[in-house]
Amino acid sequence: METENVFEIESPRVAFVTMGCAKNEVDTQRMQSQLTRCGFAIEQDPEAADAVVVNTCSFIQSATEESLEAIFEVAGMPNVTAGAALIVAGCMPARYGQDLESELSEASAFVPCSKEDDIVQVIAQALGIDQARLERMKAAMLGAVPEGAVAINGSRAVSAYVKISDGCDRFCSYCTIPYIRGRYHSFDYETVRADVADRVSEGVKEIVLIAQDTGRWGQDFEDESSLAWLVGTLADEFADTWFRVMYIQPEGITDELLHTAAEHDNICSYFDIPLQHVQPSILKAMHRKGSREEYESLVERIRRIVPEVTLRTTLIAGFPGETEEDFDELCDFVEEGFFDYIGVFAYSREEGTRAYDLPDQVDDDEKAYRAQRLRDLADDVCTPLVAARVGKAMNVLIEGREEDGQLFGRAMCQAPEVDGVTYVDNGEPGNIVQVTITDTLLYEMEGE
Ligand code: SF4
């Protein structure tokens, strides 16, 4: 690939195309931050960039296919065919390694998750920037960009994800994450705090703490710590900022965490607890613990300590060995109305996982049917719970305006991207306003 001439320009422009979940978005921000501090410019239009990084997702097969499509789309862009670098980063190189490299000749370089801290060197090399020039670019940026800040064409967000750990040790039998992201490792408190402080100084009003397994934070330190301590300490220091924690496995819901949430007005009384199933034999085959009774008493314990709590979960339909009776039991559990929001996925058979080889795989059509039935049931159960909020007073963080000028935001009971929004009639993005809920439509709310 011809790259020499690209470097005559002052600040090489790097664009990112990010696939997958919020955790990948955080990784993209981290790479952007490193590049910005080294004198690269973050470009929003991939067709105008000197290098395009596709940060891929390959958690499941459909995500891999979408990432491949994104790679081929970027490979066909005029700037890339004319010599701009195409870098493939993230989960795909981590999962497929050498096989991917030998099949994707369009890419200039591959950066698996574990090597994302090398992004500056990789892009510099792909663009033919030598060490002396890189040092000059870095020197020119000294003091110009605060540590950790992301400057993307001046855009401002009022809500930001902060990752508190990476990897996972649970090895659920259907999941590729431990193979892609490696063993669980908490980020130390100073790193998380610095990240939060940067976001708050940029005007962010809500911090969403994420990881593959947030509830385990701190348990791998020599001096063991806890998620409750982390979120409580951050909420004390940044008292005007909302804190929300996503992806807490059932074992991570400790009384300490619940009391910490109950005692802080700025910690959202919102817990996202992936259960995946309720039938013990299926949970065992998933290499997970629990049962319907255990989960019911978990919900009862949560509501006792945090009465106004909002609960979200995710469920998998059509896992190998799931009989019609097992599925009916899952439906019964959903009908109990323990959860305000439920995400449903059809089981995806992933090569390299233990569940791939399990007997009694459920037929694809049947999996899709069960998943849709569960989604419909969840809508029937959950949307009346949203409607029951009419008349309640809630604080809403205003996030922005629709194209027609309508203001929208989210209440503490709505997590970003998954739970809908609240429409309000007054205020500015970044304001937290108190409204009374006047109407709802499915998962959306309206407040005055
Ligand atoms: S907890 Fe289970 S499903 Fe979640 S990332 Fe870890 S192995 Fe995967």
Side-chain angles (χ1 to χ4, degrees), residues 59 168 170-172 174-175 177-178 212-213 249 276 288:
F59 171 54
C168 189
R170 288 185 186 266
F171 289 92
C172 298
Y174 52 85
C175 182
I177 291 289
Q212 268 82 28
D213 187 0
Q249 298 295 329
Q276 315 304 12
R288 294 177 64 90

Side-chain angles (χ1 to χ4, degrees), residues 24-37:
N24 246 17
E25 282 175 33
V26 175
D27 293 344
T28 287
Q29 286 181 1
R30 204 182 165 99
M31 288 188 272
Q32 288 175 333
S33 175
Q34 289 173 1
L35 287 160
T36 308
R37 287 205 300 280

Side-chain angles (χ1 to χ4, degrees), residues 190-201:
E190 285 70 27
T191 304
V192 176
R193 190 211 159 271
D195 213 354
V196 170
D198 284 343
R199 301 284 97 80
V200 172
S201 72

